[in-house]
Amino acid sequence: MLEPAGELTKDEACSLLEAVGSRRDIESFEVLFRCYGPRVKAYMARLTRDPHVAEELMQEVMITVWNKAGQFEATRGNAGTWIFTIARNLRIDAYRKNRRPDFDVNDPAFVPDDTKSAESELAERQNASRLRDAMKDLPQEQIQLLTLSFFDDCSHNTIATTLNLPLGTVKSRIRLAFARLRAALEDGK
């Protein structure tokens, strides 16, 4: 690494930065790099607490200074403030990038749902049709209990209270309805 340069006055730093921006003057950039590179690296080391990251960020800052030197306006501020503003912004960007989790292709939120095959879809429709046909043969009171229990998601206690029936009657009628449905579906296979 280059030896650090001595202190630059505000006017010297501004004129060096303007020379880099207007003429791409390598010697002027070298002086700026020697002066501000170690300072930016120390600033980054203090913020990141990692010397390797600090070195990388310092290099990114100085590359950005080289590339954007033409945008510097001495009337709006001094060179040091402009360089450290770039450093601060790059540090914030690096922090945000590191805090963002990596994309996981196996994350359930990004994995498409398995689509059913046409064969399984047809089988489900046939089973649903067979169940509807079997339910048509049940007495109305059992259909009402099954509808409340499984489609309306009511508990047996709620059904008993709603229909003013004993709890045991509700449970036995549901059991009986299941037995009839099971028998009808097994016969249909």
Side-chain angles (χ1 to χ4, degrees):
M1 186 170 169
L2 301 172
E3 292 297 316
E7 291 291 319
L8 296 174
T9 65
K10 289 180 183 180
D11 290 336
E12 288 173 334
C14 287
S15 64
L16 289 170
L17 197 51
E18 287 174 342
V20 172
S22 62
R23 299 186 314 270
R24 305 301 269 177
D25 186 1
I26 295 174
E27 291 174 2
S28 296
F29 180 73
E30 184 178 333
V31 173
L32 284 172
F33 191 97
R34 286 181 185 213
C35 180
Y36 288 102
R39 293 177 188 177
V40 169
K41 184 177 177 183
Y43 171 71
M44 293 298 182
R46 190 175 78 244
L47 294 175
T48 65
R49 296 188 178 127
D50 184 339
H52 300 293
V53 172
E55 177 75 26
E56 288 177 22
L57 287 171
M58 180 272 298
Q59 289 178 12
E60 279 186 57
V61 168
M62 297 313 291
I63 288 170
T64 303
V65 167
W66 172 260
N67 290 328
K68 294 187 176 188
Q71 297 174 7
F72 173 71
E73 296 177 25
T75 57
R76 296 184 68 201
N78 69 48
T81 303
W82 187 77
I83 291 171
F84 276 93
T85 299
I86 292 172
R88 181 184 63 84
N89 291 341
L90 285 175
R91 169 63 188 122
I92 290 169
D93 290 345
Y95 177 77
R96 287 178 179 158
K97 182 179 178 185
N98 289 337
R99 300 252 323 167
R100 188 173 299 133
D102 292 334
F103 178 74
D104 181 9
V105 295
N106 295 320
D107 186 335
F110 300 116
V111 176
D113 294 335
D114 292 333
T115 56
K116 296 178 185 176
S117 67
E119 186 177 293
S120 66
E121 187 75 30
L122 177 63
E124 282 184 22
R125 287 184 183 169
Q126 288 173 341
N127 288 339
S129 177
R130 286 178 41 225
L131 180 61
R132 278 192 299 276
D133 290 342
M135 285 183 71
K136 288 177 185 174
D137 295 334
L138 292 176
Q140 186 57 38
E141 63 187 19
Q142 290 177 355
I143 292 174
Q144 182 184 23
L145 291 173
L146 290 176
T147 302
L148 288 170
S149 181
F150 295 99
F151 297 112
D152 296 342
D153 202 26
C154 294
S155 68
H156 291 174
N157 285 331
T158 304
I159 295 169
T161 304
T162 302
L163 298 178
N164 199 23
L165 292 172
L167 181 60
T169 303
V170 170
K171 290 183 177 190
S172 64
R173 286 182 183 170
I174 290 175
R175 253 192 323 273
L176 182 59
F178 270 135
R180 287 185 177 174
L181 286 175
R182 190 175 301 117
L185 292 174
E186 287 175 358
D187 289 344
K189 284 188 177 179

